[in-house]
Amino acid sequence: MLRYVIYKIGYALLTLLGVVAVVFVLFNILPGDPARMMLDQNENSEQLLLIKKKYGFDKPLSTQFAYYINDLSPISWHSTQKEDYTFLSEDKYNYLPLFSISQIKCVIKTPYLRESFQKSGKKVTTIIGNTLPNTILLALLSIMIAIVFGISLGIVSAIYKDSLLDRLIALLSTLGMSIPSFFSAILVAWLVGFVWHKYTGFNMTGSLYEVDDLGNGKYIQLKNVVLPAFVLGIRPLGVVIQLMRNSLLETFTQDYIRTAKAKGLSKYQIITRHALKNSLNPVVTALSGWFASMLAGAVFVEYIFGWNGLGKEIVEALNNLDLPVIMGSVLVIATIFVFINSIVDLIYAYLDPKIRLN
């Protein structure tokens, strides 16, 4: 098992390294000068040279990539020469020195995602730290909606197989999987938040925290999470319904289910005591991947509903060509995705030794 864990950790690190390389190359071949983006309309030749030297934009692309890897790595190397780009200072990030060799210092630190081009040098880690919890909350609530309603409707659909109710649930799940999230977000926001507002009480836009009109600070507005969580959960809901129905129907054909029926157990007892537990494996597998992908899928949903999460921040960064925020957000989402999938693989390997052998 330990050998398999080491293998999965190494595989995850190589995957993240590949993601970093792809993201770096893609965003550095885009048209435009990063130094000019940072200075906006206040540029002059002297300032451009200073910015390029400070951030290493005057270096070859391979050297810039080495600098970027050094910034992201928890253990990194830095020159103590002040004129060098890699000069380590307290205002760049906090660190713990390990040892020094000549003018090179080895330190341990949290990954440094650099600074925003458009927000007065605000650190990308600060921007992501302020918005990511809202996105995670939104994703968790969406997954809960998909689990509760998806499993329930999947069981009902399996029990009443080929009935009108089964066909209706299948139609709803198919629509949920096929409709793009941005379209359903616009439709739900307009219909529930505007047309039916006086009946539902929901707003078209709003975030978790709202500012009091009387100047009493911020307060939590939980109702604002309902509509975006529902929209974000529609697609996984459709997937869970179909997986649960098909898995339960397959379980009903097993010999131990026939034995339970022969013993006189009711359909409710058979499902809750025997069939349900053994039918959840494909659902758990799907949900583990959906949670990570929801962080990326929340981009348009958050923007449409005005939810102040990482997705909305990505859209604003794209509009402003704020490359460090975009790159940092993509890397954070990729890291979460790889981490969740690695944990699921390790759980499977623990439960089924055949996976480790393969």
Side-chain angles (χ1 to χ4, degrees):
M1 183 65 183
L2 179 60
R3 187 176 181 181
Y4 183 78
V5 171
I6 295 174
Y7 166 77
K8 293 304 297 183
I9 292 175
Y11 182 80
L13 292 176
L14 287 175
T15 303
L16 288 176
L17 180 61
V19 172
V20 171
V22 171
V23 169
F24 181 85
V25 171
L26 285 177
F27 285 100
N28 278 274
I29 63 175
L30 292 175
D33 187 347
R36 293 182 184 275
M37 294 179 188
M38 295 181 70
L39 292 174
D40 199 17
Q41 304 296 327
N42 302 317
E43 65 179 70
N44 58 53
S45 57
E46 184 178 350
Q47 288 177 322
L48 281 174
L49 290 175
L50 291 174
I51 290 294
K52 288 182 178 181
K53 186 174 182 179
K54 177 181 178 181
Y55 291 95
F57 296 148
D58 58 340
K59 306 290 184 182
L61 194 61
S62 58
T63 305
Q64 293 185 46
F65 180 68
Y67 286 165
Y68 195 59
I69 292 294
N70 197 53
D71 284 341
L72 294 178
S73 175
I75 298 178
S76 54
W77 301 83
H78 299 272
S79 171
T80 56
Q81 295 181 359
K82 199 165 188 177
E83 66 273 14
D84 198 308
Y85 159 76
T86 55
F87 172 72
L88 192 61
S89 60
E90 292 289 347
D91 59 345
K92 189 174 182 181
Y93 43 65
N94 295 324
Y95 65 93
L96 179 65
L98 297 178
F99 58 88
S100 298
I101 301 176
S102 183
Q103 295 181 336
I104 302 297
K105 181 185 295 185
C106 180
V107 303
I108 184 171
K109 59 175 177 55
T110 57
Y112 175 60
L113 299 176
R114 301 190 173 178
E115 299 174 352
S116 169
F117 286 171
Q118 303 295 330
K119 296 188 176 181
S120 303
K122 192 174 183 180
K123 291 183 179 180
V124 175
T125 49
T126 303
I127 295 173
I128 295 177
N130 292 336
T131 56
L132 183 60
N134 291 345
T135 300
I136 292 177
L137 172 64
L138 187 62
L140 286 174
L141 291 176
S142 302
I143 284 292
M144 290 177 61
I145 292 173
I147 291 174
V148 174
F149 292 99
I151 292 178
S152 301
L153 292 175
I155 293 173
V156 172
S157 185
I159 293 175
Y160 298 99
K161 179 188 175 184
D162 296 331
S163 66
L164 179 61
L165 182 59
D166 179 29
R167 292 190 179 94
L168 179 60
I169 294 175
L171 175 63
L172 293 176
S173 64
T174 303
L175 286 175
M177 289 186 289
S178 59
I179 297 177
S181 296
F182 72 88
F183 177 76
S184 56
I186 294 173
L187 183 62
V188 170
W190 173 73
L191 194 62
V192 181
F194 179 72
V195 179
W196 297 340
H197 172 71
K198 62 180 180 180
Y199 305 109
T200 63
F202 294 121
N203 300 318
M204 290 185 64
T205 60
S207 190
L208 181 62
Y209 294 95
E210 292 190 350
V211 179
D212 186 79
D213 294 335
L214 301 177
N216 296 323
K218 295 182 179 180
Y219 63 96
I220 296 177
Q221 188 65 275
L222 290 176
K223 72 175 184 179
N224 289 337
V225 76
V226 175
L227 295 185
F230 170 74
V231 170
L232 197 59
I234 288 177
R235 297 189 70 187
L237 172 63
V239 174
V240 171
I241 290 175
Q242 291 297 318
L243 288 175
M244 192 67 224
R245 177 188 182 276
N246 296 335
S247 180
L248 198 57
L249 288 175
E250 183 180 352
T251 304
F252 284 159
T253 63
Q254 301 298 317
D255 291 337
Y256 66 90
I257 298 297
R258 297 192 187 98
T259 303
K261 290 180 180 178
K263 289 181 178 180
L265 295 179
S266 65
K267 185 174 290 187
Y268 174 79
Q269 291 174 323
I270 292 173
I271 292 175
T272 55
R273 294 183 185 180
H274 303 285
L276 182 59
K277 180 180 178 181
N278 296 323
S279 302
L280 288 175
N281 286 339
V283 176
V284 173
T285 303
L287 289 176
S288 62
W290 268 106
F291 176 76
S293 63
M294 273 183 171
L295 299 180
V299 172
F300 295 107
V301 173
E302 290 184 356
Y303 188 76
I304 291 170
F305 284 102
W307 182 262
N308 291 328
L310 186 59
K312 182 184 176 185
E313 191 65 44
I314 291 174
V315 175
E316 293 177 351
L318 286 169
N319 291 332
N320 296 322
L321 292 178
D322 199 343
L323 298 186
V325 175
I326 303 171
M327 295 170 68
S329 301
V330 171
L331 291 179
V332 167
I333 292 173
T335 302
I336 294 174
F337 188 88
V338 171
F339 175 77
I340 291 177
N341 280 276
S342 298
I343 293 297
V344 172
D345 288 343
L346 292 176
I347 292 174
Y348 284 157
Y350 176 76
L351 297 176
D352 187 359
K354 294 179 183 178
I355 297 178
R356 299 198 298 267
L357 296 176
N358 293 333

